[in-house]
Amino acid sequence: MKSSSEEQVPLHEEFIYCCGAATHVLKCGPWKDLSKDETKNLPRLLFMIIPGNPGLAGYYRTFIQALYCGLNKQYPVWVVSHAGHCKPPSGMEMIEDTDIKELEDVFGLNGQVEHKLSFLKKNVSKDIKLVLIAHSIGCYITLEMMKRASELQVLRSVLLFPTIERMAQSPQGKLMTPLLCKLRYILYMPVYLLSFLPEGVKASLVRFALRGMKTCDESSITTSVNLFSVDCIANILYMASQEMVKVVERDSTTIKQNLKKLIFYYGTGDSWCPQNYYDDIKMDFPDGDIRLCEKGLRHAFVLDASKEMAAMITDWLQDDLTKL
């Protein structure tokens, strides 16, 4: 049940084309437009969420609302979906109908990095400082963004359950790599057949799949219905297959260059980035802000612990915000 403050949160929803691909944006707060304009009173700071995979903005709805309230409604909190992971509304295609191709392979891992940089360039004034909050593969994307666009005014990057190295060697990676890299096309047919089911039946299937959780965020259930779209699943699995191949060595150079801006948060039972990955990075960067979860939160925290995570992040960033 939502608190009265969260029920009153202004939440603006947009489906746009970015780099020619359908993109879902959720914006918390009264600020719908942060592009440069002398007539507008722009905030000093934007909190931007870089999602994991599946990169559907709806999974982070409760999280951004809780974060916005925890920040006393002083700053906008936005989440931008990965290119092609959302199901576009009626009348909108997955790929923009245009002769101009902005980016090769926008649905791949490199394309998703450029997709986020393009979104910022077109939609956010350069004068606004950024707090990037990344989840899972979003952490790899965020480090790449900081590497490629050093001009970004990043105040902090919070990297939650960071899959930034040795993904195929992780316990979950060993299980999923053969499926993602060689057998993913087999999954398309059952998804295609399930896509014809009524929406209510799809939601019931999602509830059944998540039945093991004591509490499950309602927005996660409605968002998961998007996964019955073949186009969405194809883009999600394609990106995941590239993750297994490309996310190998940790980018220690970029981490070293930005260490004072970074907060890492590792799980204790995370099969995508196991605890020995935490031990290794902690040893390599003893002065870094590298934390180990003591609350037993799952890798996919958005399913049942969005408010708890938002409260922790708000607490971590208090000193930074008071210096603004």
Side-chain angles (χ1 to χ4, degrees):
M1 189 171 179
K2 290 182 181 177
S3 67
S4 58
S5 62
E6 281 175 37
E7 288 174 351
Q8 297 165 13
V9 169
L11 188 66
H12 180 66
E13 185 173 28
E14 294 178 3
F15 286 90
I16 62 171
Y17 286 114
C18 183
C19 295
T23 304
H24 185 200
V25 186
L26 289 176
K27 301 177 176 181
C28 249
W31 306 273
K32 296 179 183 178
D33 182 4
L34 295 181
S35 56
K36 182 68 173 177
D37 188 332
E38 299 299 331
T39 64
K40 285 187 292 212
N41 186 19
L42 296 175
R44 289 176 293 174
L45 193 62
L46 166 66
F47 284 73
M48 181 168 160
I49 316 302
I50 313 294
N53 187 4
L56 291 96
Y59 281 128
Y60 299 84
R61 186 183 296 264
T62 299
F63 178 62
I64 64 172
Q65 288 178 313
L67 190 59
Y68 177 71
C69 291
L71 296 167
N72 298 319
K73 305 182 181 181
Q74 292 185 46
Y75 306 106
V77 184
W78 292 6
V79 56
V80 181
S81 78
H82 290 321
H85 285 208
C86 60
K87 185 179 179 182
S90 178
M92 183 180 186
E93 299 298 324
M94 185 66 83
I95 301 173
E96 189 174 13
D97 184 13
T98 175
D99 294 332
I100 302 169
K101 197 167 187 180
E102 289 187 50
L103 185 66
E104 291 290 336
D105 196 21
V106 67
F107 301 131
L109 190 53
N110 175 67
Q112 299 291 0
V113 177
E114 294 298 328
H115 173 261
K116 306 306 173 294
L117 291 173
S118 178
F119 176 86
L120 283 172
K121 186 176 181 180
K122 292 178 180 178
N123 295 280
V124 180
S125 169
K126 293 179 180 178
D127 298 330
I128 297 177
K129 289 184 171 65
L130 301 170
V131 173
L132 302 175
I133 300 178
H135 176 214
S136 191
I137 193 61
C139 302
Y140 173 90
I141 291 171
T142 296
L143 289 176
E144 280 293 311
M145 290 169 65
M146 296 174 76
K147 177 182 178 180
R148 299 182 194 186
S150 56
E151 70 276 7
L152 290 176
Q153 292 198 62
V154 178
L155 179 71
R156 275 282 185 176
S157 285
V158 181
L159 308 181
L160 306 172
F161 306 100
T163 52
I164 56 174
E165 60 176 308
R166 295 177 281 175
M167 284 194 70
Q169 295 177 36
S170 68
Q172 193 71 9
K174 289 176 182 177
L175 182 69
M176 295 299 292
T177 297
L179 177 65
L180 291 168
C181 295
K182 297 178 181 178
L183 302 173
R184 69 176 186 274
Y185 302 103
I186 296 173
L187 298 174
Y188 296 174
M189 182 53 71
V191 172
Y192 174 74
L193 295 173
L194 290 169
S195 69
F196 291 101
L197 292 172
E199 296 300 293
V201 176
K202 293 176 187 175
S204 296
L205 287 174
V206 172
R207 291 180 194 279
F208 179 77
L210 300 176
R211 66 193 181 282
M213 296 185 186
K214 292 181 180 178
T215 57
C216 187
D217 194 309
E218 191 64 30
S219 62
S220 294
I221 293 170
T222 54
T223 300
S224 294
V225 172
N226 283 302
L227 300 179
F228 291 92
S229 160
V230 174
D231 287 342
C232 293
I233 281 291
N235 293 333
I236 287 165
L237 296 180
Y238 172 64
M239 178 181 168
S241 70
Q242 289 202 349
E243 293 170 31
M244 299 304 112
V245 175
K246 295 187 175 184
V247 182
V248 182
E249 290 186 20
R250 185 202 324 137
D251 187 356
S252 293
T253 301
T254 298
I255 292 171
K256 184 177 180 180
Q257 290 171 347
N258 296 279
L259 191 60
K260 291 183 179 179
K261 297 180 179 180
L262 301 174
I263 298 175
F264 294 87
Y265 189 73
Y266 282 83
T268 48
D270 191 340
S271 55
W272 278 116
C273 39
Q275 190 170 333
N276 62 296
Y277 289 16
Y278 160 82
D279 295 333
D280 292 344
I281 194 172
K282 188 79 172 173
M283 186 178 298
D284 291 344
F285 298 100
D287 297 328
D289 191 345
I290 304 168
R291 306 170 187 231
L292 188 65
C293 176
E294 298 177 349
K295 297 175 180 287
L297 301 187
R298 68 180 76 243
H299 184 91
F301 74 90
V302 291
L303 296 178
D304 59 356
S306 289
K307 293 180 181 179
E308 195 171 0
M309 183 63 79
M312 285 194 293
I313 292 172
T314 304
D315 184 55
W316 298 343
L317 299 177
Q318 280 307 311
D319 286 346
D320 292 319
L321 298 178
T322 54
K323 293 173 185 175
L324 278 177

